[in-house]
Amino acid sequence: VALEHKGMYRVLSADGNLLAEVTGKMRHEAKESSDFPAVGDWVAITSRKEEQKATIHAVLPRKSKFSRKKAGVTTEEQLVAANIDTIFLVNALNTDFNMRRLERYLLMAWESGANPVIILSKSDLCDDVDQKIREVEAVALGVPIHAISAENRMGLEQLDPYIQEGKTVALLGSSGTGKSTLTNVLYGDSILEVKSIREDDDKGRHTTTHRELVILNEGGIIIDTPGMRELQLWEA
């Protein structure tokens, strides 16, 4: 599943890129939202190649899943992405740098079953990168930390081992930390919309509004996620 939007799915299959929906039986038997497909899921489908459509019959077992508590007052799990090997926790090194938020993301990453990697983005906008790295090391023992600037193509070679063929990486972080820019740079083309930083407060704007899976030329997979306005832990 490459894209999920209001009950419709974009699936990548041997018959190409298909628009899919779940069967009535699957919809009827689903007890909660996590029973439905999520971006990154492998699903069993019936393909209607000539229509470029498909029907989803089942979700295959997940090896990892990243969940949060659904925004608002309801106590419900929201599945962000599935079958991830590595989670890039993207934190910008400008004025939006927030250690407490990073700690919450880190906790959610460990919970998911995937391996967290901390990406300190926009290193070109920071005068004390080494100091920031030391601060992060204090709360993220043993977690790899990479300072990069996607805009200036600085430090990106450090990310190569995570995005090899057969590997799936999910990008998580607040709006404007540079997740979509990083995806575009790793892909080698502008496939996701990006917006510039707001001048008045140095913060990024919301760009990605839904989760999207992108296959890189090397064969690795990246899942870009929206910046989360409200980050509530699910099980932790």
Side-chain angles (χ1 to χ4, degrees):
V1 177
L3 190 66
E4 181 261 317
H5 191 63
K6 294 182 178 173
M8 297 297 289
Y9 303 88
R10 180 68 64 183
V11 297
L12 308 179
S13 76
D15 288 336
N17 198 320
L18 307 173
L19 188 65
E21 54 188 334
V22 300
T23 61
K25 179 173 186 279
M26 189 175 173
R27 192 179 301 280
H28 176 71
E29 291 178 351
K31 294 182 174 63
E32 49 201 22
S33 61
S34 59
D35 292 334
F36 287 96
V39 172
D41 266 329
W42 290 86
V43 289
I45 65 168
T46 302
S47 166
R48 302 192 299 282
K49 187 178 179 180
E50 63 289 343
E51 298 175 44
Q52 291 192 304
K53 290 184 178 177
T55 304
I56 298 173
H57 296 273
V59 176
L60 277 62
R62 297 166 175 139
K63 68 176 180 180
S64 64
K65 62 172 186 169
F66 183 86
S67 301
R68 66 165 179 163
K69 181 176 171 288
K70 215 166 197 174
V73 293
T74 56
T75 307
E76 192 179 346
E77 178 183 15
Q78 181 181 25
L79 193 55
V80 178
N83 299 316
I84 308 154
D85 297 293
T86 306
I87 294 179
F88 281 178
L89 302 174
V90 186
N91 243 264
L93 284 170
N94 56 3
T95 56
D96 198 32
F97 185 69
N98 185 318
M99 290 295 293
R100 301 291 80 80
R101 189 198 301 126
L102 177 60
E103 286 177 334
R104 292 202 300 277
Y105 272 123
L106 201 51
L107 197 54
M108 292 171 82
W110 284 125
E111 239 182 22
S112 73
N115 294 316
V117 171
I118 294 170
I119 307 295
L120 300 178
S121 62
K122 306 188 180 182
S123 61
D124 54 311
L125 302 179
C126 179
D127 298 326
D128 56 345
V129 175
D130 291 341
Q131 171 60 30
K132 290 283 199 293
I133 289 175
R134 284 193 291 273
E135 288 178 37
V136 173
E137 283 174 340
V139 300
L141 296 172
V143 177
I145 301 166
H146 303 295
I148 66 154
S149 168
E151 199 77 41
N152 295 351
R153 310 293 199 271
M154 288 163 46
L156 297 180
E157 68 287 342
Q158 305 170 71
L159 309 185
D160 288 344
Y162 307 109
I163 54 173
Q164 299 302 314
E165 186 168 2
K167 300 286 186 190
T168 300
V169 172
L171 274 61
L172 295 168
S174 301
S175 295
T177 53
K179 300 187 299 296
S180 296
T181 301
L182 178 58
T183 301
N184 287 339
V185 169
L186 293 175
Y187 184 76
D189 197 6
S190 295
I191 46 172
L192 301 178
E193 184 190 356
V194 295
K195 289 181 182 168
S196 59
I197 290 174
R198 296 193 301 240
E199 294 294 336
D200 54 347
D201 60 3
D202 201 22
K203 290 185 178 179
R205 306 161 188 263
H206 285 279
T207 307
T208 306
T209 55
H210 50 258
R211 294 170 284 287
E212 185 159 357
L213 181 151
V214 174
I215 299 180
L216 302 177
N217 296 325
E218 295 81 7
I221 290 171
I222 283 187
I223 298 174
D224 189 23
T225 66
M228 295 180 188
R229 291 179 181 85
E230 190 177 334
L231 180 62
Q232 296 196 44
L233 300 175
W234 172 237
E235 287 179 325

